[in-house]
């Protein structure tokens, strides 16, 4: 057995304590905060797992305009947030030129001490470079699963290698690179999950987001039975041990499936939380999966409840920009 396999078959409690110890050594008790704005749920893709896929005609679509996005950023920048994550579907009306203009305006408001993360689907290397030049510091694009056949099946024939190549393009463009996967996809096995962990390591990711797949009733994968969050917790703990300096969020999907899911992730090596600061009138329609938490509370209440929950884990919120250690070290060399 190699090291990853050995870790994979270790008792879960032992594994999470080891991961928590590594996390504490690298990040102390700090948990970085990122403000998440889901600015458009239009999508030209038809991923079988996702509630805002093109073919879900029941989804009520919205697109925030530039001024709306900037006013959310102004407000939260004044309150001290130093990382903003802008996420959307692959919206055909949001061109790279438009995203670049938005990034420039955001940087004018927030300055260099804040980081801008985008997560809007796949682009070419040239486009990623344009985004970098306009002020995009980080990019999130999950590979979803390391199983090529499964990937193609749930992403309508797309190829895993194209996604992986785009992740290398991001790095070459000088962008802090984030990816990750879902656990509990249909047909997934222990080997698939071990493969997912290996791919994170091979890509030397700076940020790794993972969480349970939650079947959405209006998608082709509605029939899949729900797995518990245990696979996600196990994978997270192993990734923390193998990639100690990476930024790893306690994900909303985990908190949506289990009321203490995010705390469990923080106790298993996660060091990032992403409160949802999308305006209330829109966030209820960004439904990638059912049962999503924080839909009925404004961003401020979301942060208050996170702060209270933090107390139970012995962690404290850190409002700084919080680059991944792997990235800062890489750029010092
Ligand atoms: N359109 C962009 C970003 C939005 S989707 C993209 O696809 O990259 C963000 C992430 O939500 C996806 O990468 C996927 O891992 C997750 N997601 C989508 N549907 C989900 C579901 N049913 N359960 C859990 N996570 C889901
Ligand atoms: Fe679109 Fe992303 Fe959902 Fe796929 S996962 S349908 S690309 S929003």
């Amino acid at each position: 057995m190699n090291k990853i396999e050995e870790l994979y078959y270790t008792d879960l409690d032992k594994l999470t304590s080891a991961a928590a110890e590594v996390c504490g050594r690298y990040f102390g008790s700090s948990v970085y905060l990122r403000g998440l704005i889901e600015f458009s749920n239009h999508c030209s893709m038809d991923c079988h797992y996702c509630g805002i896929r093109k073919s879900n005609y029941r989804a009520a679509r919205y697109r925030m305009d530039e001024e709306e996005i900037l006013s959310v950023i102004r407000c939260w920048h004044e309150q001290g947030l130093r990382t903003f994550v802008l996420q959307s579907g692959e919206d055909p009306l949001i061109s790279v030129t438009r995203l670049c203009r938005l990034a420039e305006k955001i940087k004018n408001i927030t300055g260099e001490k804040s980081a801008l993360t985008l997560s809007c689907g796949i682009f070419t290397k040239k486009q990623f470079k344009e985004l970098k030049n306009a002020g995009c510091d980080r990019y999130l694009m999950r590979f979803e699963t390391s199983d090529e056949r499964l990937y193609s099946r749930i992403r309508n024939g797309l190829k895993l290698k194209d996604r992986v190549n785009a992740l290398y393009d991001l790095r070459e463009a000088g962008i802090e690179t984030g990816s990750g996967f879902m656990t509990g996809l249909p047909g997934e096995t222990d080997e698939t999950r071990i493969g997912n962990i290996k791919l994170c390591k091979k890509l030397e990711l700076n940020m790794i987001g993972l969480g349970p797949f939650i079947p959405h009733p209006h998608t082709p994968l509605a029939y899949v039975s729900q797995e518990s969050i245990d696979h996600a917790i196990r994978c997270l703990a192993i990734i923390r041990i193998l990639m100690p300096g990476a930024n790893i969020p306690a994900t909303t999907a985990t908190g949506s499936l289990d009321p203490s899911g995010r705390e469990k992730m923080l106790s298993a090596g996660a060091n990032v939380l992403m409160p949802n600061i999308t305006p209330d009138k829109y966030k209820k329609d960004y439904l990638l999966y059912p049962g999503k938490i924080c839909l009925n509370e404004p961003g401020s209440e979301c942060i208050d409840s996170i702060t209270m929950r933090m107390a139970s884990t012995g962690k404290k919120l850190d409002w700084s920009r919080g680059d991944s250690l792997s990235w800062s070290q890489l750029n010092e060399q």
Side-chain angles (χ1 to χ4, degrees):
M1 260 202 289
N2 65 31
K3 185 174 178 200
I4 297 184
E5 274 148 18
E6 214 173 282
L7 286 169
Y8 190 85
Y9 293 108
T10 300
D11 168 75
L12 188 58
D13 285 342
K14 256 196 202 155
L15 196 61
T16 54
S17 330
E21 192 271 320
V22 174
C23 190
R25 211 158 0 105
Y26 280 75
F27 294 96
S29 55
S30 297
V31 175
Y32 296 132
L33 267 186
R34 320 298 197 198
L36 173 66
I37 306 172
E38 299 157 334
F39 68 100
S40 163
N41 71 351
H42 287 266
C43 193
S44 55
M45 307 300 284
D46 230 358
C47 306
H48 290 195
Y49 43 84
C50 178
I52 62 169
R53 65 198 297 268
K54 172 177 78 175
S55 301
N56 182 11
Y57 62 89
R58 290 183 177 91
R61 306 284 171 176
Y62 70 88
R63 180 181 299 112
M64 289 172 66
D65 68 30
E66 196 174 271
E67 200 33 59
E68 276 181 303
I69 299 171
L70 295 178
S71 79
V72 174
I73 295 209
R74 257 185 231 109
C75 165
W76 280 98
H77 186 253
E78 268 168 31
Q79 296 188 51
L81 276 187
R82 291 295 175 265
T83 292
F84 295 94
V85 182
L86 264 63
Q87 194 180 79
S88 68
E90 296 205 6
D91 183 339
L93 289 198
I94 300 183
S95 63
V96 170
T97 314
R98 199 165 157 185
L99 271 181
C100 285
R101 198 182 57 194
L102 181 62
E104 279 161 12
K105 291 193 175 166
I106 291 174
K107 281 301 197 174
N108 275 339
I109 295 171
T110 62
E112 284 312 309
K113 288 214 168 91
S114 296
L116 172 63
T117 307
L118 295 178
S119 177
C120 313
I122 198 162
F123 291 110
T124 64
K125 195 195 290 189
K126 182 167 168 283
Q127 290 172 323
F128 283 137
K129 283 190 179 146
E130 286 166 22
L131 288 170
K132 167 72 188 173
N133 292 337
C136 166
D137 304 288
R138 306 175 182 151
Y139 204 93
L140 304 175
M141 187 169 55
R142 290 185 178 180
F143 58 76
E144 317 295 359
T145 175
S146 58
D147 176 331
E148 287 174 29
R149 284 178 54 196
L150 178 58
Y151 181 92
S152 245
R153 193 184 126 210
I154 60 175
R155 298 211 69 215
N156 257 340
L158 294 181
K159 298 257 179 302
L160 176 63
K161 79 169 183 343
D162 294 335
R163 192 79 157 180
V164 168
N165 286 339
L167 289 165
Y168 286 118
D169 289 346
L170 272 170
R171 170 159 305 237
E172 274 181 42
I175 296 178
E176 221 183 313
T177 304
S179 189
F181 54 90
M182 287 176 279
T183 56
L185 288 168
E188 179 187 296
T189 61
D190 286 334
E191 281 63 44
T192 320
R193 288 183 285 271
I194 290 171
N196 294 346
I197 297 168
K198 285 184 178 159
L199 187 51
C200 289
K201 178 84 181 135
K202 184 169 167 214
L203 289 163
E204 295 180 64
L205 299 171
N206 310 110
M207 305 170 282
I208 298 136
L210 63 101
F213 162 60
I214 305 178
H216 187 294
H218 305 136
T219 62
L221 297 187
Y223 70 90
V224 176
S225 55
Q226 180 68 65
E227 291 269 355
S228 80
I229 64 167
D230 285 4
H231 288 312
I233 302 282
R234 175 176 295 279
C235 292
L236 185 155
I238 297 171
I239 290 172
R240 169 58 70 209
I241 294 168
L242 297 173
M243 304 174 74
N247 277 333
I248 308 181
T251 49
T252 308
T254 315
S256 300
L257 200 55
D258 177 331
S260 50
R262 284 181 301 176
E263 287 85 340
K264 286 181 184 162
M265 283 198 141
L266 289 170
S267 305
N271 71 319
V272 173
L273 276 170
M274 295 171 63
N276 190 337
I277 57 170
T278 309
D280 293 353
K281 64 174 169 179
Y282 297 124
K283 60 163 94 145
K284 64 179 186 344
D285 292 323
Y286 198 83
L287 271 196
L288 308 177
Y289 48 83
K292 199 169 158 202
I293 47 172
C294 289
L295 291 187
N296 297 318
E297 52 186 26
S300 50
E301 279 177 29
C302 190
I303 294 190
D304 288 348
S305 81
I306 283 174
T307 309
M308 278 181 34
R309 283 157 169 266
M310 249 354 52
S312 71
T313 61
K315 306 253 180 187
K316 63 172 195 319
L317 293 181
D318 182 327
W319 291 66
S320 69
R321 169 179 160 127
D323 290 320
S324 80
L325 298 178
S326 44
W327 181 255
S328 338
Q329 282 153 8
L330 199 75
N331 287 288
E332 273 162 20
Q333 284 165 9

